[in-house]
Amino acid sequence: MKSERHQAILNLLERRRTVSVNDIAHELGVSTMTVRRDLADLSAEGLVTRIHGGAQLPHSAHETTLSLIHSPDEKHHQNVQQKRAVAMLAAQHVHTGDSIFMGGGSILEMMCEYLPKRGIRVLTNSAPVFSLLADNAEVDLYLIGGTYRPKTRAFILPSSNSGFFGLTASKAFVSATGIFDNEVFGSHIDAATVLADALNQADERYIVTDDQKVGRRDYYAFTTLDRIDAVFTNPDATPEHLEALRFWTNVITG
């Protein structure tokens, strides 16, 4: 199906950055004519940039790779092993008696499985995170309300800070769709604003992400690495990505 081919092409580009028409045709088992039509469709949506004989991921004005916007379901099938390793690592830094904020995203949803089963307080604006923890009566759980955004499965606040109602968390764990230089990015301004507010109110601030987000920009920079206590990322992260992160903050890989 066309939608499946499009997603396969985007996945291939995320791994290789640039691919030829012939390579795509070979990988997908389709004709080069079909590939060219698919690339034309993806280019019209701004998801790829056509080059002679193939395509590459689009770049910003600063020549950094822009993040592709995937649905929550698609994100659950990308870099699964790396994400699970990061989720387990971050959960080890939550202890009985902690009060934590958790943003949305596939890694933080995975993190729910490894949290302490009792004696913690969790604040979240993520509907999936809330659902994953809701059946555990031993967890003190708060859903931060507001307007629900189906694309991110998160609630956004009507105005800065107003949805927290005086609630605070000692530790905040948020994900990112891009990290470039000192800036940490999200795809949606309203949802990222909630994350910025949560980070501002927390005593300890953590980014939880796989290293594929490093070197990418997205649409809204909601914080900077030099304000973050540490970044949790996968143990097999590339040396280049680790160096880029460690220039600004602590990095925890195991």
Side-chain angles (χ1 to χ4, degrees):
M1 294 179 61
K2 180 187 289 188
S3 61
E4 294 175 346
R5 291 199 311 273
H6 286 185
Q7 187 58 53
I9 291 171
L10 293 176
N11 291 342
L12 190 60
L13 280 166
E14 284 202 316
R15 295 196 302 270
R16 301 186 187 177
R17 299 293 183 260
T18 301
V19 290
S20 70
V21 169
N22 289 335
D23 285 344
I24 297 172
H26 177 73
E27 288 278 344
L28 273 58
V30 297
S31 69
T32 56
M33 183 66 71
T34 296
V35 172
R36 290 190 176 93
R37 286 197 296 266
D38 288 340
L39 291 179
D41 292 339
L42 292 168
S43 178
E45 296 179 37
L47 296 175
V48 305
T49 299
R50 299 290 301 275
I51 59 174
H52 181 70
Q56 63 183 17
L57 290 180
H59 288 72
S60 71
H62 299 274
E63 291 303 312
T64 58
T65 305
L66 291 170
S67 295
L68 298 176
I69 299 177
H70 297 286
S71 71
D73 289 332
E74 290 169 344
K75 290 178 180 179
H76 274 283
H77 298 288
Q78 297 171 340
N79 305 324
V80 175
Q81 291 183 337
Q82 290 89 341
K83 288 180 178 180
R84 188 164 295 280
V86 179
M88 294 175 63
L89 186 64
Q92 291 172 9
H93 285 71
V94 180
H95 309 290
T96 300
D98 279 347
S99 175
I100 67 172
F101 171 85
M102 295 180 68
S106 55
I107 296 183
L108 291 170
E109 291 169 31
M110 292 178 186
M111 183 177 164
C112 293
E113 181 179 349
Y114 305 104
L115 291 173
K117 303 305 180 185
R118 63 181 62 190
I120 62 171
R121 172 179 292 173
V122 179
L123 286 67
T124 185
N125 69 320
S126 166
V129 167
F130 180 86
S131 296
L132 288 165
L133 298 174
D135 291 335
N136 186 349
E138 301 296 326
V139 171
D140 197 7
L141 184 61
Y142 291 82
L143 178 64
I144 297 170
T147 302
Y148 181 67
R149 293 287 190 250
K151 285 186 177 180
T152 57
R153 297 178 182 172
F155 289 86
I156 60 100
L157 308 184
S159 61
S160 181
N161 291 322
S162 63
F164 284 90
F165 304 109
L167 297 171
T168 59
S170 57
K171 301 174 182 178
F173 297 85
V174 305
S175 60
T177 57
I179 298 175
F180 179 73
D181 199 13
N182 192 29
E183 295 180 308
V184 181
F185 292 86
S187 295
H188 302 274
I189 294 176
D190 50 10
T193 300
V194 179
L195 304 185
D197 289 342
L199 290 170
N200 287 338
Q201 297 185 57
D203 297 323
E204 299 176 23
R205 307 172 178 91
Y206 300 107
I207 301 295
V208 186
T209 184
D210 62 277
D211 78 311
Q212 295 302 306
K213 306 300 188 301
V214 181
R216 297 187 175 195
R217 291 177 182 269
D218 213 325
Y219 296 101
Y220 182 72
F222 64 89
T223 192
T224 54
L225 288 177
D226 59 3
R227 298 186 66 251
I228 299 298
D229 290 280
V231 174
F232 292 97
T233 194
N234 43 296
D236 61 349
T238 69
E240 295 79 11
H241 289 167
L242 292 175
E243 182 180 0
L245 294 171
R246 285 174 176 150
F247 184 84
W248 299 102
T249 190
N250 297 315
V251 179
I252 301 174
T253 59

PDB file of all heavy atoms in Angstrom, residues 172 174 182 184 199 204-208 222-232 248-250:
ATOM      1  N   ALA A 172      11.771  15.990  37.181  1.00  0.00           N
ATOM      2  CA  ALA A 172      10.995  16.049  35.942  1.00  0.00           C
ATOM      3  C   ALA A 172      11.720  15.257  34.869  1.00  0.00           C
ATOM      4  O   ALA A 172      12.921  15.460  34.633  1.00  0.00           O
ATOM      5  CB  ALA A 172      10.795  17.492  35.495  1.00  0.00           C
ATOM      6  N   VAL A 174      11.415  14.423  30.847  1.00  0.00           N
ATOM      7  CA  VAL A 174      10.732  14.772  29.598  1.00  0.00           C
ATOM      8  C   VAL A 174      11.553  14.243  28.427  1.00  0.00           C
ATOM      9  O   VAL A 174      12.766  14.055  28.526  1.00  0.00           O
ATOM     10  CB  VAL A 174      10.516  16.294  29.451  1.00  0.00           C
ATOM     11  CG1 VAL A 174       9.778  16.860  30.660  1.00  0.00           C
ATOM     12  CG2 VAL A 174      11.834  17.028  29.254  1.00  0.00           C
ATOM     13  N   ASN A 182      22.895  23.570  22.069  1.00  0.00           N
ATOM     14  CA  ASN A 182      22.417  23.657  23.449  1.00  0.00           C
ATOM     15  C   ASN A 182      20.898  23.574  23.551  1.00  0.00           C
ATOM     16  O   ASN A 182      20.352  23.577  24.642  1.00  0.00           O
ATOM     17  CB  ASN A 182      22.905  24.975  24.067  1.00  0.00           C
ATOM     18  CG  ASN A 182      22.716  25.033  25.566  1.00  0.00           C
ATOM     19  OD1 ASN A 182      22.723  24.020  26.253  1.00  0.00           O
ATOM     20  ND2 ASN A 182      22.534  26.239  26.096  1.00  0.00           N
ATOM     21  N   VAL A 184      16.938  22.159  23.110  1.00  0.00           N
ATOM     22  CA  VAL A 184      16.131  20.945  23.169  1.00  0.00           C
ATOM     23  C   VAL A 184      14.773  21.265  22.554  1.00  0.00           C
ATOM     24  O   VAL A 184      14.118  22.234  22.944  1.00  0.00           O
ATOM     25  CB  VAL A 184      15.952  20.455  24.612  1.00  0.00           C
ATOM     26  CG1 VAL A 184      15.136  19.172  24.652  1.00  0.00           C
ATOM     27  CG2 VAL A 184      17.310  20.248  25.283  1.00  0.00           C
ATOM     28  N   LEU A 199       9.674  21.598  33.898  1.00  0.00           N
ATOM     29  CA  LEU A 199      11.110  21.660  34.166  1.00  0.00           C
ATOM     30  C   LEU A 199      11.449  22.834  35.073  1.00  0.00           C
ATOM     31  O   LEU A 199      12.286  22.714  35.989  1.00  0.00           O
ATOM     32  CB  LEU A 199      11.883  21.768  32.846  1.00  0.00           C
ATOM     33  CG  LEU A 199      11.882  20.529  31.953  1.00  0.00           C
ATOM     34  CD1 LEU A 199      12.469  20.862  30.585  1.00  0.00           C
ATOM     35  CD2 LEU A 199      12.661  19.385  32.595  1.00  0.00           C
ATOM     36  N   GLU A 204      15.125  18.658  40.094  1.00  0.00           N
ATOM     37  CA  GLU A 204      16.045  17.949  39.214  1.00  0.00           C
ATOM     38  C   GLU A 204      15.386  17.781  37.852  1.00  0.00           C
ATOM     39  O   GLU A 204      14.225  17.382  37.767  1.00  0.00           O
ATOM     40  CB  GLU A 204      16.407  16.572  39.795  1.00  0.00           C
ATOM     41  CG  GLU A 204      17.093  16.644  41.150  1.00  0.00           C
ATOM     42  CD  GLU A 204      17.352  15.271  41.741  1.00  0.00           C
ATOM     43  OE1 GLU A 204      17.423  14.296  40.963  1.00  0.00           O
ATOM     44  OE2 GLU A 204      17.459  15.165  42.974  1.00  0.00           O
ATOM     45  N   ARG A 205      16.137  18.077  36.788  1.00  0.00           N
ATOM     46  CA  ARG A 205      15.571  18.105  35.438  1.00  0.00           C
ATOM     47  C   ARG A 205      16.311  17.107  34.546  1.00  0.00           C
ATOM     48  O   ARG A 205      17.544  17.169  34.434  1.00  0.00           O
ATOM     49  CB  ARG A 205      15.681  19.516  34.854  1.00  0.00           C
ATOM     50  CG  ARG A 205      15.094  20.602  35.758  1.00  0.00           C
ATOM     51  CD  ARG A 205      15.415  21.992  35.214  1.00  0.00           C
ATOM     52  NE  ARG A 205      14.827  23.041  36.019  1.00  0.00           N
ATOM     53  CZ  ARG A 205      15.423  23.644  37.041  1.00  0.00           C
ATOM     54  NH1 ARG A 205      16.666  23.269  37.357  1.00  0.00           N
ATOM     55  NH2 ARG A 205      14.814  24.587  37.713  1.00  0.00           N
ATOM     56  N   TYR A 206      15.558  16.236  33.881  1.00  0.00           N
ATOM     57  CA  TYR A 206      16.174  15.204  33.058  1.00  0.00           C
ATOM     58  C   TYR A 206      15.522  15.131  31.676  1.00  0.00           C
ATOM     59  O   TYR A 206      14.301  15.224  31.546  1.00  0.00           O
ATOM     60  CB  TYR A 206      16.052  13.831  33.736  1.00  0.00           C
ATOM     61  CG  TYR A 206      16.713  13.763  35.092  1.00  0.00           C
ATOM     62  CD1 TYR A 206      15.948  13.733  36.256  1.00  0.00           C
ATOM     63  CD2 TYR A 206      18.095  13.731  35.206  1.00  0.00           C
ATOM     64  CE1 TYR A 206      16.548  13.670  37.505  1.00  0.00           C
ATOM     65  CE2 TYR A 206      18.715  13.677  36.449  1.00  0.00           C
ATOM     66  CZ  TYR A 206      17.934  13.642  37.596  1.00  0.00           C
ATOM     67  OH  TYR A 206      18.538  13.587  38.834  1.00  0.00           O
ATOM     68  N   ILE A 207      16.358  14.930  30.655  1.00  0.00           N
ATOM     69  CA  ILE A 207      15.898  14.620  29.309  1.00  0.00           C
ATOM     70  C   ILE A 207      16.088  13.118  29.108  1.00  0.00           C
ATOM     71  O   ILE A 207      17.152  12.575  29.415  1.00  0.00           O
ATOM     72  CB  ILE A 207      16.679  15.391  28.233  1.00  0.00           C
ATOM     73  CG1 ILE A 207      16.539  16.901  28.452  1.00  0.00           C
ATOM     74  CG2 ILE A 207      16.198  14.995  26.833  1.00  0.00           C
ATOM     75  CD1 ILE A 207      15.141  17.426  28.289  1.00  0.00           C
ATOM     76  N   VAL A 208      15.068  12.447  28.596  1.00  0.00           N
ATOM     77  CA  VAL A 208      15.113  11.009  28.368  1.00  0.00           C
ATOM     78  C   VAL A 208      14.897  10.771  26.871  1.00  0.00           C
ATOM     79  O   VAL A 208      13.791  10.964  26.363  1.00  0.00           O
ATOM     80  CB  VAL A 208      14.016  10.286  29.192  1.00  0.00           C
ATOM     81  CG1 VAL A 208      14.163   8.776  29.058  1.00  0.00           C
ATOM     82  CG2 VAL A 208      14.073  10.705  30.654  1.00  0.00           C
ATOM     83  N   PHE A 222      12.194  24.292  23.751  1.00  0.00           N
ATOM     84  CA  PHE A 222      11.512  24.568  25.017  1.00  0.00           C
ATOM     85  C   PHE A 222      12.453  24.623  26.218  1.00  0.00           C
ATOM     86  O   PHE A 222      12.037  25.035  27.306  1.00  0.00           O
ATOM     87  CB  PHE A 222      10.393  23.552  25.260  1.00  0.00           C
ATOM     88  CG  PHE A 222      10.844  22.130  25.422  1.00  0.00           C
ATOM     89  CD1 PHE A 222      11.183  21.627  26.670  1.00  0.00           C
ATOM     90  CD2 PHE A 222      10.907  21.278  24.322  1.00  0.00           C
ATOM     91  CE1 PHE A 222      11.583  20.317  26.822  1.00  0.00           C
ATOM     92  CE2 PHE A 222      11.300  19.955  24.473  1.00  0.00           C
ATOM     93  CZ  PHE A 222      11.639  19.473  25.726  1.00  0.00           C
ATOM     94  N   THR A 223      13.712  24.233  26.047  1.00  0.00           N
ATOM     95  CA  THR A 223      14.697  24.393  27.108  1.00  0.00           C
ATOM     96  C   THR A 223      16.085  24.266  26.503  1.00  0.00           C
ATOM     97  O   THR A 223      16.236  24.082  25.289  1.00  0.00           O
ATOM     98  CB  THR A 223      14.496  23.350  28.225  1.00  0.00           C
ATOM     99  OG1 THR A 223      15.302  23.704  29.367  1.00  0.00           O
ATOM    100  CG2 THR A 223      14.879  21.956  27.756  1.00  0.00           C
ATOM    101  N   THR A 224      17.103  24.379  27.353  1.00  0.00           N
ATOM    102  CA  THR A 224      18.484  24.238  26.897  1.00  0.00           C
ATOM    103  C   THR A 224      19.188  23.200  27.771  1.00  0.00           C
ATOM    104  O   THR A 224      18.834  22.989  28.936  1.00  0.00           O
ATOM    105  CB  THR A 224      19.238  25.577  26.985  1.00  0.00           C
ATOM    106  OG1 THR A 224      19.129  26.103  28.316  1.00  0.00           O
ATOM    107  CG2 THR A 224      18.680  26.577  25.989  1.00  0.00           C
ATOM    108  N   LEU A 225      20.168  22.544  27.190  1.00  0.00           N
ATOM    109  CA  LEU A 225      20.876  21.472  27.902  1.00  0.00           C
ATOM    110  C   LEU A 225      21.603  21.969  29.140  1.00  0.00           C
ATOM    111  O   LEU A 225      21.748  21.229  30.123  1.00  0.00           O
ATOM    112  CB  LEU A 225      21.860  20.788  26.954  1.00  0.00           C
ATOM    113  CG  LEU A 225      21.277  19.905  25.858  1.00  0.00           C
ATOM    114  CD1 LEU A 225      22.395  19.373  24.966  1.00  0.00           C
ATOM    115  CD2 LEU A 225      20.472  18.746  26.452  1.00  0.00           C
ATOM    116  N   ASP A 226      22.079  23.203  29.111  1.00  0.00           N
ATOM    117  CA  ASP A 226      22.824  23.698  30.272  1.00  0.00           C
ATOM    118  C   ASP A 226      21.922  23.944  31.488  1.00  0.00           C
ATOM    119  O   ASP A 226      22.416  24.212  32.580  1.00  0.00           O
ATOM    120  CB  ASP A 226      23.620  24.955  29.918  1.00  0.00           C
ATOM    121  CG  ASP A 226      22.758  26.102  29.419  1.00  0.00           C
ATOM    122  OD1 ASP A 226      21.511  25.978  29.392  1.00  0.00           O
ATOM    123  OD2 ASP A 226      23.330  27.135  29.019  1.00  0.00           O
ATOM    124  N   ARG A 227      20.608  23.825  31.304  1.00  0.00           N
ATOM    125  CA  ARG A 227      19.663  23.921  32.425  1.00  0.00           C
ATOM    126  C   ARG A 227      19.210  22.540  32.891  1.00  0.00           C
ATOM    127  O   ARG A 227      18.411  22.427  33.817  1.00  0.00           O
ATOM    128  CB  ARG A 227      18.444  24.758  32.028  1.00  0.00           C
ATOM    129  CG  ARG A 227      18.759  26.197  31.659  1.00  0.00           C
ATOM    130  CD  ARG A 227      17.488  27.008  31.430  1.00  0.00           C
ATOM    131  NE  ARG A 227      16.732  27.145  32.674  1.00  0.00           N
ATOM    132  CZ  ARG A 227      15.582  26.529  32.924  1.00  0.00           C
ATOM    133  NH1 ARG A 227      15.061  25.714  32.015  1.00  0.00           N
ATOM    134  NH2 ARG A 227      14.951  26.718  34.064  1.00  0.00           N
ATOM    135  N   ILE A 228      19.708  21.507  32.225  1.00  0.00           N
ATOM    136  CA  ILE A 228      19.303  20.140  32.517  1.00  0.00           C
ATOM    137  C   ILE A 228      20.362  19.457  33.383  1.00  0.00           C
ATOM    138  O   ILE A 228      21.560  19.613  33.151  1.00  0.00           O
ATOM    139  CB  ILE A 228      19.112  19.352  31.201  1.00  0.00           C
ATOM    140  CG1 ILE A 228      18.011  19.987  30.356  1.00  0.00           C
ATOM    141  CG2 ILE A 228      18.806  17.894  31.468  1.00  0.00           C
ATOM    142  CD1 ILE A 228      16.645  19.994  31.016  1.00  0.00           C
ATOM    143  N   ASP A 229      19.924  18.688  34.380  1.00  0.00           N
ATOM    144  CA  ASP A 229      20.876  17.998  35.256  1.00  0.00           C
ATOM    145  C   ASP A 229      21.567  16.847  34.544  1.00  0.00           C
ATOM    146  O   ASP A 229      22.745  16.581  34.803  1.00  0.00           O
ATOM    147  CB  ASP A 229      20.159  17.490  36.504  1.00  0.00           C
ATOM    148  CG  ASP A 229      19.752  18.639  37.419  1.00  0.00           C
ATOM    149  OD1 ASP A 229      20.613  19.133  38.155  1.00  0.00           O
ATOM    150  OD2 ASP A 229      18.580  19.034  37.372  1.00  0.00           O
ATOM    151  N   ALA A 230      20.838  16.150  33.675  1.00  0.00           N
ATOM    152  CA  ALA A 230      21.452  15.043  32.941  1.00  0.00           C
ATOM    153  C   ALA A 230      20.540  14.624  31.800  1.00  0.00           C
ATOM    154  O   ALA A 230      19.324  14.830  31.828  1.00  0.00           O
ATOM    155  CB  ALA A 230      21.727  13.848  33.859  1.00  0.00           C
ATOM    156  N   VAL A 231      21.159  13.998  30.808  1.00  0.00           N
ATOM    157  CA  VAL A 231      20.432  13.364  29.711  1.00  0.00           C
ATOM    158  C   VAL A 231      20.618  11.856  29.838  1.00  0.00           C
ATOM    159  O   VAL A 231      21.750  11.371  29.922  1.00  0.00           O
ATOM    160  CB  VAL A 231      20.949  13.834  28.339  1.00  0.00           C
ATOM    161  CG1 VAL A 231      20.276  13.049  27.212  1.00  0.00           C
ATOM    162  CG2 VAL A 231      20.707  15.330  28.153  1.00  0.00           C
ATOM    163  N   PHE A 232      19.511  11.125  29.870  1.00  0.00           N
ATOM    164  CA  PHE A 232      19.555   9.667  29.804  1.00  0.00           C
ATOM    165  C   PHE A 232      19.467   9.270  28.332  1.00  0.00           C
ATOM    166  O   PHE A 232      18.530   9.668  27.630  1.00  0.00           O
ATOM    167  CB  PHE A 232      18.377   9.050  30.558  1.00  0.00           C
ATOM    168  CG  PHE A 232      18.423   9.254  32.038  1.00  0.00           C
ATOM    169  CD1 PHE A 232      17.717  10.287  32.636  1.00  0.00           C
ATOM    170  CD2 PHE A 232      19.171   8.408  32.845  1.00  0.00           C
ATOM    171  CE1 PHE A 232      17.748  10.474  34.006  1.00  0.00           C
ATOM    172  CE2 PHE A 232      19.208   8.580  34.220  1.00  0.00           C
ATOM    173  CZ  PHE A 232      18.501   9.626  34.800  1.00  0.00           C
ATOM    174  N   TRP A 248      27.523  20.173  27.193  1.00  0.00           N
ATOM    175  CA  TRP A 248      26.582  21.043  27.887  1.00  0.00           C
ATOM    176  C   TRP A 248      26.093  20.498  29.221  1.00  0.00           C
ATOM    177  O   TRP A 248      25.712  21.268  30.107  1.00  0.00           O
ATOM    178  CB  TRP A 248      25.358  21.309  27.001  1.00  0.00           C
ATOM    179  CG  TRP A 248      25.680  21.996  25.722  1.00  0.00           C
ATOM    180  CD1 TRP A 248      25.781  21.436  24.470  1.00  0.00           C
ATOM    181  CD2 TRP A 248      25.983  23.373  25.558  1.00  0.00           C
ATOM    182  NE1 TRP A 248      26.114  22.379  23.546  1.00  0.00           N
ATOM    183  CE2 TRP A 248      26.234  23.589  24.174  1.00  0.00           C
ATOM    184  CE3 TRP A 248      26.038  24.470  26.427  1.00  0.00           C
ATOM    185  CZ2 TRP A 248      26.558  24.844  23.663  1.00  0.00           C
ATOM    186  CZ3 TRP A 248      26.358  25.721  25.919  1.00  0.00           C
ATOM    187  CH2 TRP A 248      26.610  25.904  24.551  1.00  0.00           C
ATOM    188  N   THR A 249      26.067  19.176  29.388  1.00  0.00           N
ATOM    189  CA  THR A 249      25.456  18.618  30.589  1.00  0.00           C
ATOM    190  C   THR A 249      26.002  17.219  30.868  1.00  0.00           C
ATOM    191  O   THR A 249      26.828  16.701  30.088  1.00  0.00           O
ATOM    192  CB  THR A 249      23.920  18.564  30.439  1.00  0.00           C
ATOM    193  OG1 THR A 249      23.325  18.230  31.694  1.00  0.00           O
ATOM    194  CG2 THR A 249      23.509  17.542  29.384  1.00  0.00           C
ATOM    195  N   ASN A 250      25.535  16.626  31.939  1.00  0.00           N
ATOM    196  CA  ASN A 250      25.918  15.245  32.254  1.00  0.00           C
ATOM    197  C   ASN A 250      25.129  14.285  31.373  1.00  0.00           C
ATOM    198  O   ASN A 250      23.981  14.546  31.004  1.00  0.00           O
ATOM    199  CB  ASN A 250      25.611  14.941  33.719  1.00  0.00           C
ATOM    200  CG  ASN A 250      26.421  15.801  34.665  1.00  0.00           C
ATOM    201  OD1 ASN A 250      27.622  15.977  34.492  1.00  0.00           O
ATOM    202  ND2 ASN A 250      25.750  16.344  35.684  1.00  0.00           N
TER     203      ASN A 250
END
